[in-house]
Amino acid sequence: MKRSKTVLLTALAPVSWGTTYAVTTEFLPAGRPLFTGLMRALPAGLLLLALVRVLPRGRWWGKAAVLGALNIGAFFPLLFLSAYRLPGGMAAVVGSVGPLFVVGLSALVLGQRPTGRTVLAGVVAAFGVSLVVLKAAGALDPLGVLAALASTASMSAGTVLTKKWGRPDGVGPLALAGWQLTAGGLLIAPLAFLVEGAPPALDGRAVGGYLYLALANTAVSYWLWFRGIGRLTATQVTFLGPLSPLTAAVVGWAALGQALTPVQLTGMALAFGATVAGQSRAGRTVVRTSGTAGRKARTPGDPDRPGVPGPALRR
């Protein structure tokens, strides 16, 4: 029961991310993907740091920078670049192979041997997502494809390393999310100003959109995501990723008047079924990584201890 609750709470992160497209197109200035990535990451990270008042210490300065670069600083710009350069939904299709990336990286880094069932579920998830989001395609842009693959690889590597390194003793997932969002936002900031110039003028709708992205879509969602990585296997967590394009399709139908065809509904059923299948194994051997990396707990549903300073530097 506790594991099911953890899965459901973690799933709220990709569900929230699935609303990003609708919010971006309906509320935010057009053509500012890097500025949008910056506004998602840095304010959310600074807010979480202000709440927990815990900074990295020792080697964790470097680890937080690496994780922030993989999960945020590189992932956001590459994701937006691929979405702008690839035709109808192709970026989401490439991104849906993330579970397969994580399966391979988990075998190399974490020593978790993949099963045929897991690989099959990853293939079915990617195929289902392709049925949902793939439109009539034009010519594929090589740079766009490379960016999509790189963004997927970056997030996959960040997920596996987050699992491998865990968290310092006494540091909860809220602090870990704050460290990574801040580090990633600081990496995006100079790129955004160099490529896109000064920030655009913002009206009330844009301010509301950015507030939603920074708070619910990023601060809360990444806290839930990193909390889930600490309680579930890396493979289980990444199999929740296809919920993001599925949510985007549902939001487009419900809020933007976009039709859902029988083929898309079939793809949604396949992708959702693969997501559920990805959660069905390893339930008895979940490793939870609150505290030092590699520490194992027999009860994966134990409550976290967020906000406890422990040996971390308090501000």
Side-chain angles (χ1 to χ4, degrees):
M1 179 64 69
K2 289 183 178 180
R3 189 176 72 89
S4 297
K5 181 180 178 181
T6 299
V7 170
L8 290 174
L9 287 174
T10 307
L12 292 177
V15 168
S16 174
W17 298 335
T19 66
T20 303
Y21 175 78
V23 172
T24 300
T25 56
E26 298 299 311
F27 292 90
L28 304 183
R32 304 303 294 263
L34 291 175
F35 180 75
T36 297
L38 173 63
M39 293 299 290
R40 283 186 67 187
L42 191 56
L46 294 175
L47 173 63
L48 294 184
L49 289 183
L51 289 175
V52 299
R53 295 186 296 167
V54 176
L55 293 178
R57 185 175 181 180
R59 293 182 179 179
W60 267 97
W61 282 103
K63 290 181 178 181
V66 170
L67 294 177
L70 291 172
N71 288 320
I72 309 296
F75 175 68
F76 278 6
L78 289 169
L79 179 67
F80 282 122
L81 176 62
S82 65
Y84 270 75
R85 298 186 69 97
L86 292 179
M90 180 58 72
V93 174
V94 177
S96 68
V97 303
L100 297 177
F101 277 41
V102 170
V103 166
L105 289 171
S106 294
L108 292 173
V109 178
L110 304 177
Q112 296 176 355
R113 188 192 311 182
T115 66
R117 178 179 177 178
T118 301
V119 174
L120 178 61
V123 172
V124 172
F127 178 68
V129 170
S130 71
L131 294 181
V132 175
V133 303
L134 199 57
K135 310 295 182 183
L140 292 182
D141 178 79
L143 180 59
V145 173
L146 183 61
L149 286 172
S151 69
T152 302
S154 180
M155 185 67 167
S156 299
T159 298
V160 173
L161 284 180
T162 300
K163 184 66 182 180
K164 177 179 176 62
W165 289 339
R167 302 190 301 267
D169 283 323
V171 173
L174 204 65
L176 186 64
W179 297 350
Q180 296 189 46
L181 288 168
T182 302
L186 291 175
L187 285 175
I188 296 173
L191 182 63
F193 289 113
L194 285 174
V195 174
E196 297 178 352
L202 303 179
D203 57 17
R205 288 173 61 85
V207 170
Y210 282 126
L211 284 175
Y212 168 78
L213 289 182
L215 297 177
N217 187 268
T218 302
V220 174
S221 294
Y222 273 93
W223 165 59
L224 291 173
W225 187 251
F226 294 133
R227 176 182 179 274
I229 293 175
R231 293 170 173 240
L232 304 168
T233 67
T235 301
Q236 285 176 304
V237 173
T238 197
F239 262 104
L240 297 173
L243 293 177
S244 179
L246 298 186
T247 300
V250 172
V251 171
W253 167 74
L256 305 180
Q258 299 172 354
L260 288 175
T261 67
V263 172
Q264 288 178 301
L265 294 174
T266 300
M268 292 176 71
L270 288 173
F272 185 76
T275 297
V276 173
Q279 310 305 314
S280 62
R281 63 182 301 274
R284 297 181 181 179
T285 58
V286 174
V287 178
R288 191 174 155 269
T289 55
S290 65
T292 55
R295 176 174 295 179
K296 298 184 179 181
R298 296 191 179 186
T299 53
D302 289 346
D304 280 323
R305 296 170 293 163
V308 181
L313 185 61
R314 188 177 178 122
R315 287 287 183 272

